[in-house]
Amino acid sequence: MAASKMITASMGGLRTSSAPSLTQFRVRPLTCASAPSPSCPARLVPHPPDLTRWVRREGGFVHKALKIAEGESFGLGLVASEEISKGSELISLPSHLPLSFRSLDPSDGADASDSALIELARRVPEELWAMRLGLKLLRERATVGSFWWPYISNLPEAFSVPIFFSGEDIKNLQYAPLLHQVNKRCRFLLDFEKEIKRVVENLAPENHPFGGLEVNASSLGWAMSAVSSRAFRLHNKALLDGPLTDIPMLLPLIDMCNHSFHPNAQIVQEQDSKDPKMLVKVVAETQIEKNTPVTLNYGCLNNDLLLLDYGFVIPSNPYDHVELKYDGVLLDAASMAAGVSSPAFSSTNQWQQQILSQLNLHGDDALLKVTLGGPELIDGRLIAALRVLLTSDKEAVLKHDLNTLQSLSVEAPLGVSNEIAALRTVIALCVIVLGHFPTKIMEDESLLRENVSSLTKLAIEFRIEKKSMIINVMKDLTHRVKMLSKVKVSVQG
């Protein structure tokens, strides 16, 4: 994953929807910003070392036309100060500059403080991998004279990710799957703070993994956010002294490239025969005009992940979707609302159940989460289930394989009437999903015109994008129904 620089000047303390702000410390803490304040500097220290100069001094390469700048449309990032031609090398880093957690093996020459850090990293669940490298980042931040201080001091002092939202702004997201993830992360950080205190309480000062500084949930949240928004998963045998293995790394300066689904640069991971220590490069994929931000594609991510890990949302994100549970009673209600006679989603035949099992939508280990939106428009398993359950013609269904039934691009595999009924059911399902949002888009847009905080604005923009995406799905499906209806009338005529 790549880096995001869409940051705010300062953030509130870590909160859950019910937890208080964590800003009270008993001993010297690794602090982070505890309240929004426009006067606070955007970076960790007011006047950090020149990052570009440091990279060059340490044997890296930085194109002479690159500068660090801040703009309203792209936040803090790398910008071309003059035109850069396609194929130009923009940044190259030698292997000793990336910051990574290279080993979790206590026998790998680790001292006592390393062992404590490794033990803590082992207690982090895999899905929160960013916290593991975050522990290393906090260790280096606490180390006086750390080699990486020129890089760390240039990091944002705060991040606009939802774990730092107020309880009210978390509610303002209005989207249950994201609320669940936010509260899950907050709860982990609160629990992990206690875990760290248990591990370090009896350690001698020289063995303390953070140099005697207290690490609390708020500073843990800062570190996890720094990694989740900036780290890349790369592989390099020379770095690891072993087989090729993916490993999260913080790449100084490279992680100041902003995101675009249509980037003008790309990361090239190769070793130069003239310089075998070179780990990673950034190369211009297109011509980059003067005053244009340098961008990388962080991945085909929906707005949930972009907000959760990076702290921003993309308007009209082609990969955005909503999650919902496959539920027979809900589909019966949607189908009846769509005017489909006698739907039977909650009372299926045995042969239909067998197909649902193949789709992993039936049985003890069924995966019931389905989606609307994104490139597929309708989750393939959902459209297949609707097509199958809205017909009684078993033979017609068995003529097709599952891939055909799951493809929306295969028009009406079970007949036009069946397809219209399935699409109308999805449209009604969209209406039901929209009804679960407490506010309408017009109300949200009216709120944005008021003097709201940057985080409230971000939460409102997130829910607007979710609702707009659902409405666009409905428009697309309505158009398909109209086209199919014309075909049906033509055939009947």
Side-chain angles (χ1 to χ4, degrees), residues 106-357:
S107 66
D108 189 20
D111 60 27
S113 61
D114 288 332
S115 297
L117 197 69
I118 290 168
E119 176 59 29
L120 289 171
R122 289 184 181 279
R123 303 185 186 201
V124 177
E126 182 59 36
E127 64 180 298
L128 296 177
W129 59 269
M131 189 70 264
R132 295 179 181 175
L133 181 50
L135 291 170
K136 172 73 171 179
L137 178 61
L138 284 177
R139 161 77 169 268
E140 294 301 325
R141 179 178 167 180
T143 301
V144 177
S146 167
F147 169 77
W148 284 283
W149 179 247
Y151 166 67
I152 295 171
S153 62
N154 274 277
L155 291 175
E157 69 158 358
F159 295 87
S160 56
V161 292
I163 61 170
F164 289 110
F165 282 19
S166 68
E168 189 61 31
D169 282 331
I170 291 177
K171 292 178 183 177
N172 281 334
L173 295 168
Q174 296 185 353
Y175 182 58
L178 184 58
L179 294 177
H180 172 73
Q181 290 300 323
V182 173
N183 283 307
K184 182 178 179 181
R185 291 191 180 193
C186 288
R187 193 54 56 189
F188 162 77
L189 292 169
L190 292 165
D191 291 341
F192 198 45
E193 174 189 341
K194 299 174 184 176
E195 188 74 10
I196 289 175
K197 288 179 179 178
R198 283 195 291 269
V199 169
V200 305
E201 63 181 351
N202 295 320
L203 292 178
E206 64 271 18
N207 296 332
H208 195 289
F210 306 107
L213 299 181
E214 180 184 20
V215 171
N216 62 12
S218 193
S219 53
L220 288 169
W222 174 85
M224 186 170 71
S225 301
V227 173
S228 71
S229 66
R230 307 177 78 89
F232 300 75
R233 279 189 176 271
L234 301 177
H235 60 266
N236 185 272
K237 183 174 181 177
L239 178 69
L240 298 170
D241 297 321
L244 290 176
T245 307
D246 285 342
I247 183 170
M249 302 178 190
L250 290 167
L251 304 180
L253 205 59
I254 290 178
D255 64 8
M256 300 195 82
C257 296
N258 278 289
H259 165 74
S260 173
F261 289 129
H262 306 284
N264 54 26
Q266 62 175 334
I267 290 183
V268 178
Q269 195 177 355
E270 62 181 23
Q271 286 183 299
D272 194 320
S273 58
K274 297 179 182 178
D275 189 354
K277 292 184 178 180
M278 200 59 67
L279 169 68
V280 62
K281 301 179 180 180
V282 175
V283 177
E285 196 169 22
T286 65
Q287 180 173 293
I288 304 176
E289 303 298 331
K290 182 179 179 180
N291 296 326
T292 300
V294 178
T295 56
L296 299 169
N297 188 345
Y298 298 174
C300 302
L301 306 176
N302 61 32
N303 278 342
D304 302 43
L305 291 175
L306 288 174
L307 182 57
L308 193 62
D309 284 340
Y310 298 88
F312 66 88
V313 297
I314 297 289
S316 303
N317 183 344
Y319 303 101
D320 202 19
H321 60 247
V322 292
E323 297 177 2
L324 59 153
K325 181 181 178 182
Y326 179 87
D327 179 79
V329 175
L330 174 64
L331 291 174
D332 275 340
S335 196
M336 286 188 286
V340 178
S341 59
S342 304
F345 293 103
S346 54
S347 56
T348 54
N349 297 322
Q350 185 174 356
W351 66 270
Q352 291 172 323
Q353 290 178 10
Q354 290 176 346
I355 295 176
L356 289 178
S357 295

Side-chain angles (χ1 to χ4, degrees), residues 15 39 66 116 186 188 271 320 333 335 352 379 392 424 437-438 456 463 490:
R15 302 165 188 257
S39 62
L66 288 185
C186 288
F188 162 77
Q271 286 183 299
D320 202 19
S335 196
Q352 291 172 323
D379 190 303
S392 58
R424 282 180 173 168
F437 287 93
T456 299
R463 74 196 196 208
S490 176

